[in-house]
Amino acid sequence: MIYLDYQATTPVAPEAARAMQPWIEEKFANPHSPSRWGHEASAAIEVARKQVEKAIGFKGGSVAFTGSATEAINWALKGTVEKASNGRNRIITVATEHAAVLDTCEWLAGQGVDLTVLPVQANGRLDLDLLARELDDRVLLVAVMMVNNEIGVTQPISEISEMAHEAGAIMFCDAVQAFGRFELWEGPDLVAVSAHKIHGPKGIGALWMRKGREPAPLIHGGGQEHGLRSGTLSPALCVGFGAAAKLADERCTRDFDHVQRLWKAAIHALGPGWTVNGCPDCRYHGNLNIRRKGLDGARLIADLRDVAFSLGSACASGSGRPSHVLRALGLDYRESRSSVRIGFGRYTTQGELVEACKRIAAAAVEQEKLDA
Ligand code: PLP
């Protein structure tokens, strides 16, 4: 199997798996218990927290572990609305956000929040003049992602954060697809990340919170994570996340350069007839979302059973719904159907990527012949 679905999830780094092993096999203590074993587990979690904070790289805040980035996003958005005491009741977000953001915002709108979902330009980027026109003194929260999971397009998060702050709003950023891939752009007050997108384990995410901007708790109970997020933490998951974050931090430039080389090799191997969806330059290049006239993307994926690539979001795949991200770029139903996403990263070799791209191109040509 050639694995080219790095936006859905990434292979666990051997270093992360090794770091987790003792916490799965032998060290079972509750990290919140006062025993010596409990203290040892708690200390390991604190090391992991520092590793994740260092990889995020922002000053003036701290990380709370969550069960996923989806939870971190729900918490950031719902908890900020709950905590608001300044009469502000408006959220501005963008049409290409992940479902975890859009669906939470829609839920909040159902609770009385005034929601504005801004469109994007044909290249997937938010028009900052449009944002400037929308920002007013009713805006509580601006929620914009750093790297889009379906098309890889980036948003200018530092500029957007500055604009949000000037308007007196809080800036939330879903940095799930940016974290560990390049140095995060500064500015946001709340940042959601996920371990399994950076070669760590599934089932753990984190919310970075600027001091003073902590949202009201979403999960109540034993008061863990400074009373902000209750529930017994898993030392194994935290340690695995920490090890993956440390590795991503150390290898950041090397991995980034590798991905730049892979992108060029993939484009070359695919040959003519393909169009890149979204801005080809202002993007993370480990995400190659492409379309081809007349192609049936789902059929292409089914035809190439031993190459793992996808139609777009893993969450939306299988729903039969055309991608809301591609629709937001202005693509029609046929163009969305004829799009596929090839995602690669640290452990992808140029040889396997080139082979897979050649097979994808050949299968697409075969489809054209059969359909002619
Ligand atoms: N946000 C983005 C941009 C994502 O790509 C994903 C995962 O696909 C999530 C949020 C949700 O992350 P998790 O799987 O940790 O809930």
Side-chain angles (χ1 to χ4, degrees):
M1 172 72 86
I2 302 179
Y3 184 74
L4 299 176
D5 202 9
Y6 266 59
Q7 282 70 40
T9 198
T10 53
V12 177
E15 291 87 341
R18 271 199 300 276
M20 290 171 72
Q21 208 170 5
W23 298 99
I24 296 170
E25 292 184 344
E26 309 145 34
K27 304 181 180 207
F28 60 86
N30 185 321
H32 313 295
S33 86
S35 68
R36 188 164 58 80
W37 286 1
H39 280 304
E40 193 194 351
S42 163
I45 288 174
E46 291 318 307
V47 170
R49 192 188 310 281
K50 289 279 169 266
Q51 288 167 328
V52 175
E53 284 172 352
K54 180 163 185 298
I56 290 175
F58 296 170
K59 298 277 174 289
S62 60
V63 144
F65 289 114
T66 60
S68 61
T70 299
E71 184 195 321
I73 291 166
N74 271 261
W75 177 21
L77 301 178
K78 292 179 182 176
T80 299
V81 169
E82 191 185 326
K83 200 178 164 190
S85 57
N86 52 6
R88 291 180 179 235
N89 186 38
R90 193 169 166 225
I91 296 181
I92 296 183
T93 190
V94 181
T96 48
E97 290 292 304
H98 189 273
V101 169
L102 288 177
D103 288 7
T104 305
C105 286
E106 286 298 341
W107 185 86
L108 284 165
Q111 304 296 307
V113 165
D114 180 7
L115 175 64
T116 303
V117 182
L118 297 179
V120 291
Q121 305 170 99
N123 66 359
R125 298 269 279 185
L126 175 61
D127 175 356
L128 296 192
D129 291 335
L130 176 63
L131 175 65
R133 286 197 294 279
E134 288 291 337
L135 281 167
D136 60 26
D137 60 6
R138 293 172 301 143
V139 179
L140 169 67
L141 194 59
V142 176
V144 183
M145 71 203 317
M146 205 168 286
V147 173
N148 185 275
N149 52 304
E150 289 196 38
I151 53 175
V153 169
T154 58
Q155 301 293 353
I157 291 302
S158 295
E159 282 101 311
I160 295 172
S161 301
E162 220 176 293
M163 291 168 74
H165 289 154
E166 263 169 34
I170 295 170
M171 176 71 197
F172 166 75
C173 182
D174 171 350
V176 167
Q177 296 287 345
F179 183 46
R181 290 164 174 79
F182 55 82
E183 208 174 303
L184 298 186
W185 298 319
E186 296 206 23
D189 303 297
L190 297 165
V191 180
V193 294
S194 183
H196 74 101
K197 311 287 185 178
I198 65 155
H199 307 286
K202 291 169 190 57
I204 181 160
L207 183 65
W208 183 87
M209 302 166 286
R210 189 177 300 288
K211 197 163 168 37
R213 293 299 193 197
E214 297 87 355
L218 181 69
I219 298 180
H220 304 272
Q224 289 90 347
E225 298 296 78
H226 302 289
L228 290 171
R229 195 272 186 183
S230 289
T232 303
L233 287 173
S234 158
L237 293 179
C238 294
V239 165
F241 192 2
K246 179 171 182 280
L247 196 63
D249 200 27
E250 287 165 359
R251 297 183 48 126
C252 198
T253 311
R254 196 164 132 206
D255 285 352
F256 187 84
D257 292 346
H258 176 57
V259 161
Q260 296 294 112
R261 282 192 293 274
L262 290 178
W263 165 273
K264 287 194 189 121
I267 297 274
H268 189 254
L270 282 165
W274 301 91
T275 305
V276 174
N277 289 323
C279 179
D281 306 318
C282 37
R283 74 192 290 136
Y284 168 66
H285 285 104
N287 180 327
L288 178 52
N289 192 316
I290 43 173
R291 67 179 189 273
R292 186 182 180 93
K293 198 158 186 281
L295 182 78
D296 180 339
R299 208 167 107 204
L300 190 73
I301 288 167
D303 285 347
L304 291 165
R305 280 279 164 214
D306 51 358
V307 181
F309 61 119
S310 83
L311 290 175
S313 157
C315 323
S317 294
S319 70
R321 277 184 291 155
S323 148
H324 72 280
V325 174
L326 297 181
R327 263 202 334 257
L329 301 191
L331 269 62
D332 63 23
Y333 178 71
R334 277 166 166 237
E335 287 170 322
S336 299
R337 267 186 77 230
S338 69
S339 297
V340 291
R341 182 185 68 189
I342 302 170
F344 39 86
R346 183 187 298 163
Y347 301 113
T348 313
T349 66
Q350 187 158 322
E352 64 179 347
L353 179 62
V354 165
E355 183 196 325
C357 287
K358 284 187 174 161
R359 285 173 58 195
I360 289 170
V365 169
E366 199 55 36
Q367 233 190 59
E368 274 162 19
K369 281 192 204 146
L370 287 172
D371 293 348

